[in-house]
Amino acid sequence: MEALLFERDTIFAAFWMTIRLTAVSALGSLVLGTLLTAMRVAPLASLRGAANTYVTMMRNTPLTLVLMFTGLGVGAQLGVELSDDIATNNFWLAVIGLTAYTSAFVCEALRSGLNTVPVGQAEAARSLGLGFTKTLGLITLPQAFRAVVAPLGSIMIALTKNTTIALVVGVGEASVRMREMIETYGDQVLEIFLGFAAGFVLLCLPMGLLFGWLSRRMAVAR
Amino acid sequence: MSYANLYEPPGPRGIRRNRVLAAVVALVLLGLAYVVYVRFDAKDQWAADKWTPLLRGDVWATFILPGLAGTIGAAVVGVVLAGLFGLLFATARLSDHRWIRVPAAAVVEFFRSVPLLLLIFFAFFGSYMLIGVNISAFAAVVFGLTLYNGSVIAEIIRAGVQSLPRGQSEAAQAIGMRKGQVMRLVLLPQAFRTMMPAIVSQFVVLLKDSALGLIVGFDELVNRGLNGIAANFKNTIPAAILIAAIFILINFSLDRLATRLSTRLGTTR
């Protein structure tokens, strides 16, 4: 217990990094995931093909490899520099990797949400003279969103846990701190593990409850 | 599923407009690909000598095949143990006895909410302090995969059993089966049948997660393939593309298998 108390400032700092990574990547993947969903149902075959290929590739590649690629490929080889500060640069590289990966899952969830919207909704929209963008943006996609709040919640919880893998691009979040602490305070391994685990339970449990409540509130009565 | 109900079938003008748009989209995508190509080219990643090593037998024998063996080995052991763990805890959570049900629920919920990497670190770096031996990276990875994916599988199986009509267990009890028999002979086989696609998808997750082993130095595909090859030939990009392709190929086939299973078992509605 002493180790956890003694190091509580650095532990909070590490979890604060976890929270920031999660929040920024969550926002990014919701935007990119929505865009990908729109592409996947678009009238243009080239857009559908591009989005389909992207989603299949991302879903079947380990996140570790995606993040290694953002670090080594995008960072070192493409020479993308997002900040002069190396820590900030690594943070944004991790956000890129996590967003690229998570948005594929957001897209899958949203697409299955579109399937739950009755055909008549889109047909009614079209008969009013709405085009593709308006039918999707005003009628079907909002309903799809409300149908998949719970699965989106699971994806966001998975994202929170996945931020631990950001350590491969050199981001000092919770898992890095836990490893350092196990090495420093070898006699308190169990307490340290349970402490960090409790941190994630504290982050994920309210998220699960929030999304559960939201999904009941937002459900479209049919 | 087709989404053609989202737009009118285009008329002559629409077809022309769509063609123009398709060309624009193709140009944008090609432009993007070109920028990436040029940037990687500046780092010499397309040079023939970066790609030819990937075709050499000794490169496959030293890096890719052992890496693949590591990944598949961890995944297979993980699948078996996670399956057993899932079966055990699903049954325990469905028990009539509160003292079995509640602790089992706590265990499952705990391992579902702890990041896999923390479990692996705990096992790998903490094992000496806890049990007096340093366990191997393989064992640490399998430990994490079993507990995390096992908990998820437990939930999948439990959902499957709960989705069965109540009459199934009532009928089994009516013909005099004991609780164990009801579960083993009537409920679990049916739950497996409906949940097989979900279980296979979870195995895809497990296979992908085994790549976390790289962080504790386990010789799996990303570690051997990406780090190992790139260290020798400085060909990060070609190596990464090859490794990703292998993963996508394996997982895509597993995905297909899950779809086939669900149509075969008549569980798609």
Side-chain angles (χ1 to χ4, degrees), chain A residues 59-60 78 115 161 186, chain B residues 3 5 39 112 129 208 251:
Chain A
R59 277 181 54 222
N60 291 318
L78 278 181
N115 291 345
K161 293 186 286 174
Chain B
Y3 298 91
N5 67 329
R39 289 272 188 128
R112 276 206 316 162
M129 271 303 153
K208 289 199 307 175
N251 290 333

Side-chain angles (χ1 to χ4, degrees), chain A residues 65-84:
Chain A
L65 182 55
V66 174
L67 281 169
M68 292 276 289
F69 187 81
T70 19
L72 296 172
V74 179
Q77 301 288 333
L78 278 181
V80 173
E81 264 197 46
L82 301 146
S83 164
D84 295 336

